[in-house]
Amino acid sequence: MACVLSLFRPQPFLALIGRWKPPLCKMSMDSRARLVFAAAVEAVQPDTIVRQSIKRKEDSVTIDGHKFTLKHNLHLVGFGKAVLGMAAEAEKLLGDHLVKGLISVPKGIQQTLQEHGKGHLLLKENSRIKVMEGAKNNLPDTDAQKAAEEIKQLASELTENDILLVLISGGGSALLPAPILPISLKEKLDVTRKLAAAGATIQELNTVRRALSFLKGGGLAHFAHPAKVVALILSDVIGDPLDLIASGPTVRGEVWPEEVLSVLERYKLLNSLPSSIKEVLGRPGPHWKETKEESTASEYVHNAVIGSNSVALMCAGRRARELGFRPVVVAPGVCGDVRAVSRLYGLLARFACSREEPPPEIAAEMLRLGPEVGVESWDLCRTMQVLGEGRTEGWGATCLLAGGEPTVELTGMGRGGRNQELAMRVGVELRDLGIPPNGPVFLSGGTDGQDGPTEAAGAITDGGLYEEAQAQGLHIDTFLTNNDSNTFFSSLSAGKRLLVPGLTCTNVMDVHMLLIPPIPITIR
């Protein structure tokens, strides 16, 4: 422990940065937190990320460092909640060479965008891209299945002279259901639901999904061969694993029936399988085979993650600096139960707000909790080192940023989501650390603009939350037990702490923000 704690003392390389003087900002901590969150969301808007990723020069285009020649040979498909805006921008940039396009998007998304004044994310009237809506409530349905079949047909007709641009975002898996016959959509959905209820991991769920689908697990790229396939991906998965985002339709990786049977046996579902799934899994070998050309020629498929939680945090950090904070990104992959996550943020706040060198017990508990919630020990050591440097040199206000997707154990029947509940729990952790502008502020918000079934994306909290609630007759513990965070924040001070950004048109998981005010230096 002594070796680890030595990292928190001033280090020579940090001294090279020099003493940073923040710009003067008279805005409240609450207002600045909201502006930093808005910058994170703006950074991953579907049209913005596509525009930044496609470099057009005459009749050639460069994407992710790969150059392609355009000869009226471009085709486009897409599936996901943010794909409509991605497609609209792609057509603006490459439309003169676009032959045909087809995208599968959520039910009602076109009308919703129109009603919210987001017309720039809609296709033009003369667009060559066909829009098909489906997957109501983010569940695969017959409309989405029909779109998947048409996407497969489009891909299958391409030649070696064609380019297929594939646009993928969160929700893409539900919008591209293509069960292998004779499996029905309902049968496939029932199996994956039972696996999820039994506690299967996302990797296990995707192992089963890929084996029961024609298009997942590289299937779309397979059917598009020998055309060149370029996928632009807006990631909503921790770590941006290409094979998990929308179940990897452009990521080659065949799943064999034996693997699936092993997963189903692990969760005691083998005996209850419908005969159609048993038939498909009983077939020898993979359900489609790569040609020799496919397996040896990597130039046929290029996958590029163009938007992610890391991108959002980076741009949030820039805005935080403009608003007078020294930004520090802790980690982009926070996960695990909100109880543990809130405890970690509470400890970080105590460490950062300490006027003297914090007790070693705080660092020890953080290092114990970190791996449990997806934060590496190295990232915690780095963060504490920077905070320690700031304390001794008087850097002023700090903005700690993190992202990810924690989970909530449901014990009640209330309304809310992980972000609002996390904000409540962190508020309790901050109880004795003072109120703004002299105490820390915490924000947790979903970049998709919603937190659970509510219109709020999250909430903002500080050390005054507990007393404020008590003064208004609201008992935090009761609301937490009932998972009723939205009712709590809506009732508290007329909902002023709620984060309600409206329709954001994107999704790269959540943004967590801990604003630390300037801490007076204690000189011994």
Side-chain angles (χ1 to χ4, degrees), residues 406-449:
T407 55
V408 174
E409 182 183 348
L410 295 177
T411 57
M413 301 294 290
R415 282 169 53 84
R418 60 181 178 265
N419 288 286
Q420 292 170 83
E421 182 156 329
L422 179 59
M424 280 183 73
R425 293 185 179 278
V426 172
V428 175
E429 293 282 344
L430 302 180
R431 183 177 175 183
D432 59 349
L433 291 180
I435 60 174
N438 300 315
V441 168
F442 178 78
L443 177 150
S444 183
T447 57
D448 63 351

Side-chain angles (χ1 to χ4, degrees), residues 137-214:
N137 298 322
N138 201 33
L139 293 173
D141 57 18
T142 54
D143 290 332
Q145 184 175 4
K146 184 178 179 182
E149 290 168 355
E150 291 198 24
I151 286 174
K152 176 190 169 186
Q153 184 63 33
L154 185 154
S156 301
E157 294 171 354
L158 302 180
T159 71
E160 66 272 12
N161 298 318
D162 293 316
I163 299 170
L164 180 64
L165 181 62
V166 184
L167 307 175
I168 304 173
S169 75
S173 186
L175 285 158
L176 196 72
I180 301 170
L181 294 175
I183 300 172
S184 71
L185 185 60
K186 182 181 182 302
E187 288 171 334
K188 181 184 171 187
L189 187 58
D190 284 345
V191 169
T192 53
R193 277 177 170 168
K194 288 177 181 177
L195 278 170
T201 66
I202 185 64
Q203 289 85 357
E204 290 170 329
L205 282 169
N206 275 328
T207 295
V208 174
R209 285 192 189 115
R210 290 197 299 262
L212 305 181
S213 171
F214 266 121

Side-chain angles (χ1 to χ4, degrees), residues 39-40 43 308-320 327 329 401:
S308 65
N309 192 267
S310 294
V311 171
L313 295 183
M314 179 179 65
C315 293
R318 290 175 187 162
R319 188 71 176 111
V329 175
L401 291 161

Side-chain angles (χ1 to χ4, degrees), residues 494-506:
K496 71 174 185 179
R497 291 179 179 270
L498 284 171
L499 180 66
V500 189
L503 186 68
T504 62
C505 308
T506 190

Side-chain angles (χ1 to χ4, degrees), residues 53-104:
S53 304
I54 295 177
K55 307 300 179 186
R56 172 79 184 271
K57 187 176 182 181
E58 297 177 349
D59 288 341
S60 69
V61 61
T62 301
I63 300 174
D64 194 34
H66 299 278
K67 189 175 182 179
F68 303 92
T69 301
L70 300 173
K71 296 180 179 177
H72 304 286
N73 57 346
L74 181 68
H75 298 72
L76 182 151
V77 297
F79 29 91
K81 296 178 181 179
V83 156
L84 189 58
M86 295 172 74
E89 189 64 25
E91 189 168 28
K92 287 178 187 175
L93 297 169
L94 307 171
D96 53 327
H97 285 276
L98 181 62
V99 178
K100 185 179 181 181
L102 174 61
I103 57 175
S104 177

